[in-house]
Amino acid sequence: MPTNATCIAFSIVLGMLGASAMAREPQQARNVLFAGPVERVAATSLTELSSRLEQLAAIDPSNPASDAGTRQTLSLFGREDLIAATSAYYKPNGCAPLKTAPDVLPEIERRARQTSIVIVTESHERSEHRGFSTELATRLRPLGYNTLALEALSPSMPDTPAQYLPSFVQHPALKYFEDGDGHYLSEAGYGRLGRRAKKLGYHLLAYEFIDEHPAADATMEQRIAAREEGEARNLATYVHDHTGAKLLIHVGYAHAAEVPGADGTQWMAARLKKKTGIDPLTISQTACSGGGGAVRLSALPADVPQGTFDLVVDHPNAHFVRGRPVWRQRAGDRVVRIPQRLYPARGWCVVEARPVDEPTASVPMDRVAIRAGDDVALMLPPGRYRLRVIDVEPAPRSPA
């Protein structure tokens, strides 16, 4: 038997929603239509998404914790509004603008013409970084950039049987990612990056390092060094084997650092530069935030070693409408209200919207977790969608 009566109602009511119901929504939602029937599933039935749903189920809806794992999970399920107050990647840190402030994307284009490798960072807690990388991929494609290397793509061993390879390898012509393609790719903004890259004709490259024989007694520093070296080696091998390839590499946090950190850590970008002899254009989206009213280029913070990144992209303070980041509206999404009566009585539900012609294996155009008392919206570009509701059973709580 289903455990969440309100989520059952969601399926029934949304099954009756159509163009007439959408017309009663605000003007910006009128070009978004739902086609029934609406599917409702239990979280336990979704193999590819199970680990992420288990992480969501473990979060107390009334008091979300502020540790990094929880913040990344809530961001993955579209609830950045619940983490913005505790995440360092949303807090203004007072970076100074460049004394000469060129326009961001034209300056990146100019610099990108001088190399064949561009590396851009993201925070796993802020989807806006993926939106910017989507714009960047669009601008770089006419310059001959033809390979998008994503840290988040699931790697495979060389002898993996074809039937066990991830979907982006088995079926490269698909216009979407699937949840099995990589952990963070299940977030809708990351899924949009994949959709754009596929449409633009990028080759998708997984380069994460698989340590086949990890030392049980290895220190954290040794594990980090092994990973950075393995990633750089994988990328350098691809560059060596594909003459003329031009790479846009999307990474998390410090992997784009070109000089050692204060603790002496040699990150992937520095190692890749040494192995290939190519000086990459390195762009940080994580060093600065909240510096102005629009995206701008800022100076490297004083506590970051000089030469760490070539450019620092400084995003303005994040704002939210109905629990969703406003940058999605600037990217063309409509705000689509989820009726309050459809929220769960307890725990979480996850609402997904996919184009009508796509299977449920695809990473949806939007995916958001909702709980009782919320006023949360779907964020969707104009189109026709099918809705799916995932009933997330709360994880057992330890007795006090």
Side-chain angles (χ1 to χ4, degrees), residues 321-400:
V321 56
R322 286 184 172 157
R324 309 307 302 281
V326 170
W327 78 263
R328 294 272 294 265
Q329 284 183 283
R330 294 196 299 269
D333 281 1
R334 275 47 170 180
V335 179
V336 184
R337 186 178 66 87
I338 300 172
Q340 196 63 43
R341 66 184 180 276
L342 305 178
Y343 285 67
R346 64 190 182 100
W348 302 91
C349 278
V350 175
V351 185
E352 302 176 331
R354 289 180 177 82
V356 292
D357 61 343
E358 291 185 7
T360 54
S362 70
V363 173
M365 290 295 284
D366 200 15
R367 169 180 275 154
V368 62
I370 61 174
R371 55 189 182 158
D374 280 334
D375 180 16
V376 176
L378 289 165
M379 299 289 273
L380 295 166
R384 297 179 67 246
Y385 300 90
R386 294 190 185 277
L387 291 162
R388 181 169 78 166
V389 181
I390 303 172
D391 185 11
V392 182
E393 179 70 11
R397 305 278 178 204
S398 301

Side-chain angles (χ1 to χ4, degrees), residues 5 84 133 174 178 186 266 340 396:
S133 289
L174 290 177
E178 295 188 356
S186 291
Q266 293 271 353
Q340 196 63 43

Side-chain angles (χ1 to χ4, degrees), residues 8-9 19 74 86 95 101 111 126 173 266 270 281 292 299 328 335-336 348:
I8 300 172
L74 289 171
T86 59
C95 287
R111 300 275 197 103
R126 188 163 180 172
Q266 293 271 353
L281 172 61
R328 294 272 294 265
V335 179
V336 184
W348 302 91

Side-chain angles (χ1 to χ4, degrees), residues 219-234:
T219 66
M220 180 58 69
E221 291 76 13
Q222 291 170 329
R223 294 178 188 275
I224 290 174
R227 182 187 182 197
E228 301 304 307
E229 177 65 17
E231 288 183 340
R233 185 170 59 248
N234 290 341

Side-chain angles (χ1 to χ4, degrees), residues 27 74 79 81 97 119 121 149 154 226 255 259 275 327 337 383:
Q27 177 68 32
L74 289 171
R79 297 307 305 273
D81 61 312
I119 308 176
T121 71
S154 295
H255 295 294
V259 302
K275 291 178 184 297
W327 78 263
R337 186 178 66 87

Side-chain angles (χ1 to χ4, degrees), residues 188-208:
Y190 221 143
R192 304 276 189 98
L193 171 57
R195 288 172 184 271
R196 179 71 62 81
K198 283 170 170 281
K199 186 174 183 179
L200 290 169
Y202 275 94
H203 170 71
L204 296 171
L205 175 64
Y207 66 90
E208 184 58 272

Side-chain angles (χ1 to χ4, degrees), residues 241-322:
D241 292 345
H242 295 79
T243 304
K246 302 184 77 170
L247 281 67
L248 172 59
I249 307 174
H250 182 89
V251 306
Y253 307 106
H255 295 294
E258 292 190 59
V259 302
D263 61 357
T265 301
Q266 293 271 353
W267 297 98
M268 179 275 288
R271 295 169 186 266
L272 180 61
K273 181 177 180 179
K274 186 179 299 184
K275 291 178 184 297
T276 62
I278 299 170
D279 186 7
L281 172 61
T282 52
I283 306 165
S284 173
Q285 296 189 82
T286 56
C288 294
S289 62
V295 179
R296 71 180 191 182
L297 293 174
S298 288
L300 199 66
D303 60 348
V304 177
Q306 290 300 305
T308 298
F309 307 111
D310 294 317
L311 294 172
V312 175
V313 174
D314 187 347
H315 291 276
N317 289 335
H319 297 282
F320 300 90
V321 56
R322 286 184 172 157

